[in-house]
Amino acid sequence: MRHIRKAAVIGSGVMGAAIAAHLANVGIPCLLLDLVPTSLTAEEERRGLTLDHPAVRNRLATQAIARLHKASPAPLYRPEFAQRIQPGNLEDDLAKIAEVDWVIEVIVESLEPKRQLLERIEQYWRPGTIVSSNTSGISINEMVAGRSDAFRRNFLGTHFFNPPRYMKLLEVIPGSDTDPELVDFMADFATRRLGKGVVIAKDTPNFIANRIGTYGLLVTFEEMQKGGFSIEEVDAVTGPALGRPRSATFRTLDLVGIDTFVHVAYNVHAHVSDPVEQQAFIVPDAIRSMVERGWLGEKSGQGFYKKVKDGGTTRILSLDLATMEYREQVKVKSASLEAAKAAKGGKAKVQALLAGKDKYAQLAWDIVKRVLIYSAEKMGEIANSPQDVDAAMRWGFNWDLGPFELWDAIGLVPSAKRMQEEGLTLPAWVEAWIAEGHKAFYEEREGAVYMPVGGMSAPVQVPAGVIDLASLKQVGRVVKQNAGASLVDLGDGVACLEFHSQNNAIGPDILAMIEQSVSIVEREFQGMVIANQGRNFCVGANLMLMLMAAQEGDWDEIDLSVRMFHKAMTTLRYSAVPVVAAPHRMTLGGGVEVCLASSRVLPSAETYFGLVEVGVGLIPAGGGCKETARRVSESVSADEDLVPHLARMFQTIGTAKVSTSGDDALAMGWLSENDRVIVNGDLQIAAAKAEVLRMAEHGYTPPVRDARIRVAGADGKAVLQMAARGMWQSGYISDHDLLIVNKLAHVLAGGDVPADSLVSESYLLDLEREAFVSLCGEPKTQERMQYMLAKGKPLRN
């Protein structure tokens, strides 16, 4: 029985430290080892330390751990998780690897140093301990040449993408002697415990994602030079218009590091035998010149783009490759780009762009056709199936569609015909697939999706524990739906309430579906999950509807809307069967209130959770204030002062603080000890379903209706308002901020009742509603609402 309870990461550079941080995130303590310094720093000399002092000998790892707290984006779910990482060095502490279950090598990307380190590791290696290399392209088999049979059976590649916390892809690369059982174990462990999307790659140069991604970047550069396009033009075409990240081509290279890109390209050039492919991986002279000049991208301050400060303003210049000088960026517009921008979703965007008739549509086609053919040529050599290639590119490069998915989106048969008419040669297996009558690489039949694998049609593999709501809806599992939400039968007596309004914002249709769903589930199911698979769980209530009513002075409509929200949340809270919310990514305002009204919350690790209504000039009014007061009341003993605990939540809501992770939401007090974080969002709905069944099996009992809540009252309100006034006097908040948070204090403290009064939930909800409606009438609040809708960020007025 394999397990990983403790790990060791060798190499404390940016990547090694970040991998250690992610292990710490998921509760795996680890050693972080690096070389022993050969000289003292000025600070060490000032302190009188010597080269033998442990602080000096462990300096590299210790500094790497300290840098985790300053890195952006944050590698840690919570800062205190760094305590799970123990610094050390390779001379004093290498023997400690005998105490761990997994050793990860993350040193310089060069074969010989890796081989030497693995030889040292084997001296202290405990049989059965897993050893892996975080290489981006060096041969796994060559690394362990000369190692024992037992060591080689327990060795494999584990290629994390940077940054490890956020990038989903993990390429697992077995060597020729790797135990197949170990490969299965690591794939399962990385999926469930580390939250990764795992692709099994073959031991070929740069594996899957970097092989295709690097080829695509080089092809893009070549087509750019052929057509005389600028950097801005290429990035306009190869970003969201092509279903790819906003960083597109050249911003991506700046972020990755241009020297790193050159190294990765060279690795393929040096290790493939096909002369045509070797030629494709020759780095252009212009890029080599940039590396020679030290223009390496963001880490050197300039690359294809350069930030310059002009007074108090920062401008971004772009590089003119013809002159190698920086100049002002030129805005890029065209009919095909505008059509892609207007389209919804990666598939529609690509179709719109390639359907265009201008030079940018042609550039997109010239890039895409070559990447598609190359991906097909490498099938079987670098990966086992189109599914693996597509997943690698989606998870590793954040493409909306992998190569074969994109090919299907633009029409396999007509696009293949166009390629041939333009003189390109299709791989033989693609020609054979089309000749057999197939219209796409992925074909649905008999309730399953099939794809080509080794000349045969094989089913697409659905990872264990993954529930896909779209697939369930396609096969008729919808119980009830309206424009904003659907109730979907997950099987085994559990239903899922899925939001699908624009941005999953809560409006009257979702509120109606919440009430109707609870009624149905209480009669026909054991319980309900609230989840969706949109980009974000819920960004809050429908702000546009509220602003329109406020501008028209329709206070009755606003009052009614708040009452509807309260009614829906009350129905949810007192459901006779368990309701488990499974939020992910942005979960704000009303989305938080839905979670607070649920029986349990299972957030994904990447959940950014907060009541942020102050940012639009309002206070939480979907039960958020009431729930905050209730939770504070229940968290303290009957004779304990409420105010310190309430003050912490008052500050959290009053500053619109949002959690940095699911674990941070727990630490902030939004979630209870019964709630737990699900690291892999793909498994979240299945975990929530299992939690519903577990709660039902153990005899779920809903909360007691309208139990009394102890509140801080007038005295507590005065303390909160005094703190707010201090912030106002110090210039931290504006006059309007002060008005808002004073009303917030009034509601959270329970109004002007005596301290420690026991009040009803309905009383607190009335305070919420009255404060909310009054703030809607404030001109500065309406300004904030309008600004947020127009700009997507808060206005401080």
Side-chain angles (χ1 to χ4, degrees), residues 464-715:
V466 173
I467 293 176
D468 181 57
L469 293 177
S471 297
L472 292 176
K473 291 162 77 173
Q474 283 179 351
V475 295
R477 301 283 282 275
V478 176
V479 179
K480 191 174 185 62
Q481 67 180 354
N482 64 21
S486 298
L487 186 66
V488 182
D489 185 352
L490 298 181
D492 302 315
V494 180
C496 177
L497 177 58
E498 174 202 25
F499 301 166
H500 46 65
S501 61
Q502 186 172 1
N503 295 322
N504 287 340
I506 298 175
D509 45 6
I510 287 181
L511 295 175
M513 272 299 297
I514 289 173
E515 293 204 63
Q516 293 166 15
S517 295
V518 170
S519 177
I520 292 169
V521 168
E522 286 180 331
R523 294 193 312 269
E524 302 175 16
F525 292 85
Q526 295 192 62
M528 181 170 75
V529 170
I530 302 180
N532 63 71
Q533 292 169 323
R535 178 171 176 78
N536 298 305
F537 177 73
C538 176
V539 297
N542 191 320
L543 192 61
M544 175 62 78
L545 294 179
M546 208 61 65
L547 175 60
M548 290 170 59
Q551 289 176 333
E552 293 170 4
D554 194 344
W555 314 121
D556 288 342
E557 177 65 25
I558 295 174
D559 184 274
L560 179 61
S561 295
V562 177
R563 289 178 187 274
M564 285 178 61
F565 212 126
H566 285 167
K567 187 170 181 289
M569 294 305 101
T570 301
T571 300
L572 199 57
R573 174 163 165 72
Y574 294 108
S575 165
V577 295
V579 176
V580 176
H584 66 278
R585 291 184 61 83
M586 301 306 294
T587 303
L588 306 175
V592 169
E593 289 165 320
V594 167
C595 293
L596 297 182
S598 299
S599 318
R600 284 279 190 284
V601 186
L602 269 59
S604 74
E606 298 302 335
T607 299
Y608 316 121
F609 199 90
L611 293 173
V612 296
E613 287 84 350
V614 167
V616 290
L618 299 167
I619 67 164
C625 291
K626 179 267 291 182
E627 275 299 302
T628 301
R630 181 184 68 79
R631 286 168 183 243
V632 168
S633 173
E634 292 178 356
S635 70
V636 301
S637 60
D639 57 352
E640 191 175 353
D641 187 2
L642 288 169
V643 174
H645 302 275
L646 191 64
R648 183 167 70 93
M649 300 308 293
F650 171 68
Q651 183 180 35
T652 296
I653 299 172
T655 57
K657 186 177 180 182
V658 176
S659 75
T660 58
S661 66
D663 282 282
D664 192 39
L666 284 164
M668 287 169 65
W670 289 126
L671 306 177
S672 75
E673 61 184 14
N674 294 317
D675 301 327
R676 60 191 173 90
V677 174
I678 306 300
V679 180
N680 190 329
D682 291 345
L683 307 180
Q684 196 178 6
I685 294 178
K689 174 185 173 182
E691 184 69 10
V692 166
L693 291 172
R694 189 192 67 79
M695 293 172 73
E697 183 182 354
H698 286 78
Y700 176 72
T701 302
V704 176
R705 274 192 176 269
D706 209 19
R708 298 290 160 165
I709 299 169
R710 182 162 70 99
V711 294
D715 291 347

Side-chain angles (χ1 to χ4, degrees), residues 103-263:
V103 179
I104 313 170
E105 170 273 304
V106 199
I107 65 169
V108 62
E109 189 71 345
S110 178
L111 176 61
E112 198 51 41
K114 289 181 183 291
R115 292 180 67 170
Q116 292 172 5
L117 176 60
L118 292 173
E119 182 178 6
R120 291 183 64 190
I121 287 172
E122 187 169 12
Q123 295 173 19
Y124 301 100
W125 176 70
R126 174 171 49 86
T129 298
I130 302 162
V131 183
S132 71
S133 172
N134 181 62
T135 177
S136 60
I138 295 176
S139 171
I140 300 303
N141 289 313
E142 288 183 24
M143 267 191 241
V144 286
R147 305 278 57 77
S148 69
D149 290 347
F151 189 91
R152 293 200 307 273
R153 283 196 298 272
N154 288 278
F155 181 78
L156 71 169
T158 49
H159 180 207
F160 288 81
F161 274 61
N162 193 31
R165 168 183 166 179
Y166 301 94
M167 292 301 289
K168 186 171 179 177
L169 179 62
L170 177 70
E171 291 178 320
V172 170
I173 311 102
S176 56
D177 298 319
T178 305
D179 185 345
E181 180 273 330
L182 172 60
V183 178
D184 293 341
F185 169 81
M186 286 302 294
D188 181 71
F189 170 83
T191 299
R192 295 184 180 279
R193 191 73 185 274
L194 301 182
K196 294 298 175 186
V198 176
V199 171
I200 307 300
K202 298 191 177 184
D203 188 18
T204 55
N206 288 15
F207 313 128
I208 301 174
N210 277 346
R211 182 78 166 265
I212 292 173
T214 303
Y215 178 85
L217 290 165
L218 288 166
V219 161
T220 301
F221 199 90
E222 183 182 337
E223 295 298 337
M224 167 190 175
Q225 291 185 311
K226 281 183 189 176
F229 292 98
S230 69
I231 283 171
E232 301 98 305
E233 288 177 309
V234 170
D235 274 357
V237 169
T238 59
L242 203 55
R244 296 181 186 175
R246 293 187 182 278
S247 55
T249 296
F250 294 108
R251 290 190 192 281
T252 295
L253 286 170
D254 277 355
L255 289 167
V256 167
I258 297 165
D259 55 336
T260 301
F261 169 72
V262 169
H263 172 80

